[in-house]
Amino acid sequence: MNEQALSVREAIRTRRSIKNFNGQPVDQENIEEILEDAVWAPNHGNRNPWRFIVAAGKQYSEFLDVLREYGVPKWNELSAEDLEKQMKKFTNAGAVAMVIVPEDARQKERLEDFAAASTCIQNIQLLAWDKGIGTCWKTPAFLDNPKFREDLGVQPGERIISMLQFGYYDEIPKARPRKPLEEIVTYYGSNSEEE
Ligand SMILES: Cc1cc2nc3c(=O)[nH]c(=O)nc-3n(C[C@H](O)[C@H](O)[C@H](O)COP(=O)(O)O)c2cc1C
């Protein structure tokens, strides 16, 4: 197992979503190491309600062809220069993992599975951060496009819940502050009352 550089607390507090990657590729091996650990996320009934389509290295370059078609409006009417500009949000990343969750017919199980997969995604983001790799959980509308799903081999009864981008970065964006606890926590019972 790799040496951990960051404490859990440091990883949680310092991780930022990276939206400006620097174009350096991310090795498939790195993603595999991250996924090996990340799937130890809590999940009800040990259903392991996730699967991943990973595109890294040469495969990521091939996957960019698919992203061009679905991710750039009117891509075939743009000049090469404009198309390249529009593609930067994809070409600057170093790899991608599409996170796919079963859509259980039962509402409780479906919500549990989505929640479990979300904890797995946060594990991925923290483990990647610990390796100096940035991530961004993206939910562009084309994830639900039937043709895009079909191109990826996503089955009926499955949903792509995240296009999780991986990449290296030159700058860490400024943190956006969270609400203070006073605003979001109330204490149940007598200990919240003034003395
Ligand atoms: C469910 C979910 C969907 C998201 N979808 C997008 C997205 O489509 N595009 C994007 O730029 N960021 C997306 N994000 C990233 C958030 O915008 C980001 O987490 C937020 O700006 C907070 O920044 P931080 O992660 O650096 O703290 C998503 C995050 C979550 C949890």
Side-chain angles (χ1 to χ4, degrees), residues 7-189:
S7 69
V8 174
R9 178 167 185 251
E10 282 170 334
I12 291 171
R13 292 292 291 243
T14 62
R15 181 208 58 81
R16 298 274 69 83
S17 292
I18 300 294
K19 304 188 188 196
N20 289 314
F21 298 106
N22 66 13
Q24 198 185 323
V26 176
D27 292 342
Q28 184 172 308
E29 203 180 49
N30 273 318
I31 311 250
E32 277 168 15
E33 280 172 11
I34 290 167
L35 292 179
E36 287 272 5
D37 293 337
V39 293
W40 287 90
N43 66 100
H44 200 180
N46 202 22
R47 289 196 290 273
N48 292 239
W50 43 61
R51 72 179 184 92
F52 308 91
I53 299 175
V54 174
K58 204 167 125 308
Q59 276 72 37
Y60 186 61
S61 311
E62 287 170 21
F63 189 60
L64 287 172
D65 289 338
V66 180
L67 291 178
R68 183 189 311 121
E69 189 178 336
Y70 295 98
V72 179
K74 302 200 174 149
W75 64 277
N76 45 4
E77 293 172 23
L78 297 177
S79 69
E81 199 187 329
D82 285 344
L83 181 57
E84 199 189 323
K85 259 193 228 155
Q86 297 259 342
M87 280 294 286
K88 279 239 157 23
K89 59 188 175 216
F90 303 127
T91 51
N92 283 348
V96 78
M98 312 303 288
V99 185
I100 297 162
V101 172
E103 290 208 285
D104 201 298
R106 301 161 296 179
Q107 192 190 35
K108 176 177 180 287
E109 280 75 3
R110 186 187 297 213
L111 287 172
E112 283 174 353
D113 288 349
F114 179 74
S118 300
T119 68
C120 184
I121 292 174
Q122 175 67 342
N123 280 355
I124 295 171
Q125 297 193 109
L126 295 175
L127 289 160
W129 194 247
D130 193 39
K131 286 180 184 290
I133 297 170
T135 58
C136 192
W137 179 338
K138 294 258 170 97
T139 46
F142 65 78
L143 298 188
D144 292 318
N145 179 319
K147 250 186 108 270
F148 177 75
R149 288 166 50 91
E150 198 183 315
D151 280 2
L152 257 62
V154 175
Q155 300 297 310
E158 291 187 316
R159 174 126 199 257
I160 310 169
I161 66 160
S162 172
M163 177 173 85
L164 193 54
Q165 293 182 311
F166 295 82
Y168 294 94
Y169 48 88
D170 298 325
E171 275 176 33
I172 299 177
K174 253 181 75 195
R176 295 168 72 191
R178 273 30 175 188
K179 290 181 179 174
L181 289 197
E182 300 86 81
E183 267 183 46
I184 56 167
V185 181
T186 50
Y187 295 95
Y188 176 77

